[in-house]
Amino acid sequence: MTYAIIGSGAIGHAIATQFARQGIDVMVANSRGPSSLTDMARALGPNIKPATTGDVVHADVVILAIPFGAIQAFAGSTGADWNNRLVIDASNAVDFPAFKPADLGGRLSTEIVAEAFPGARVVKAFNTVPAAKLEAPPAQAGGRRVVVLSGDDGSARSQVAALIERLGYAALDLGTLRQASHLQQFGGTLVAQDLIKLA
């Protein structure tokens, strides 16, 4: 299984940090090219592999840690075959500068993301925990930090839950995108909450 993170901002860096802590190789790419990721790779260690966007789109699991508004352009530029591959949407659809949920005409942001990656199995995860908390060691206060997930493909959710657990977090499966929307989509109850699952 190969892993890749698109984006090296706060969320991308936080997730990459957990891959490095667990000794799991992950490719990381951004719009500025691999040379811009040298310092990040040096700081986090040899499991972080700077790559081009052309490289990372061939990974088995691709984590989208770029702004929601940039996802469709990224997807359209790749020319990759997404059929049956796993895409994890860590984005939030935010209307700036009001910092309110974007008006998507009643649609869910991850439904729109899924359309941009035809054939992919899309799961929403890593979007509710603030970046600083997401980057901290998952073991906290005698338990593990919770990462929630949702998606319309049950087997894909199971696969993402296993990855979340492997990274040291506690996975909480909220069900389908519609079942989880009032909890996980930006503006939902669980957004910006820091939950710990006790042992």
Side-chain angles (χ1 to χ4, degrees):
M1 187 70 67
T2 55
Y3 301 98
I5 301 169
I6 306 291
S8 59
I11 295 297
H13 190 281
I15 298 170
T17 298
Q18 305 303 347
F19 273 87
R21 282 195 173 113
Q22 298 300 324
I24 305 170
D25 286 348
V26 62
M27 292 182 285
V28 181
N30 62 22
S31 60
R32 300 182 301 279
S35 62
S36 69
L37 297 164
T38 302
D39 289 344
M40 177 181 177
R42 184 181 299 115
L44 295 182
N47 296 110
I48 305 304
K49 312 293 184 182
T52 67
T53 53
D55 293 330
V56 299
V57 297
H58 299 294
D60 299 312
V61 180
V62 176
I63 302 171
L64 301 174
I66 56 178
F68 173 77
I71 289 176
Q72 286 190 320
F74 165 73
S77 71
T78 66
D81 178 7
W82 296 100
N83 193 43
N84 206 41
R85 290 170 54 218
L86 186 54
V87 173
I88 300 175
D89 174 22
S91 72
N92 284 307
V94 184
D95 181 13
F96 292 107
F99 203 67
K100 294 180 179 180
D103 183 0
L104 302 178
R107 304 190 66 201
L108 302 179
S109 62
T110 304
E111 291 175 335
I112 295 171
V113 170
E115 284 187 357
F117 299 90
R121 298 175 300 138
V122 178
V123 174
K124 191 167 192 66
F126 299 108
N127 72 299
T128 63
V129 181
K133 300 288 187 182
L134 196 65
E135 186 168 339
Q140 295 286 330
R144 291 177 295 147
R145 179 160 281 118
V146 173
V147 170
V148 300
L149 66 137
S150 63
D152 293 337
D153 184 313
S155 64
R157 292 203 312 270
S158 295
Q159 192 174 346
V160 173
L163 173 61
I164 289 168
E165 295 277 341
R166 188 179 175 193
L167 292 176
Y169 304 106
L172 179 58
D173 187 343
L174 301 178
T176 67
L177 295 174
R178 287 284 166 182
Q179 287 172 331
S181 63
H182 65 294
L183 298 171
Q184 189 182 6
Q185 295 282 325
F186 187 76
T189 305
L190 295 181
V191 174
Q193 299 298 315
D194 185 22
L195 306 179
I196 305 296
K197 181 179 179 180
L198 298 178

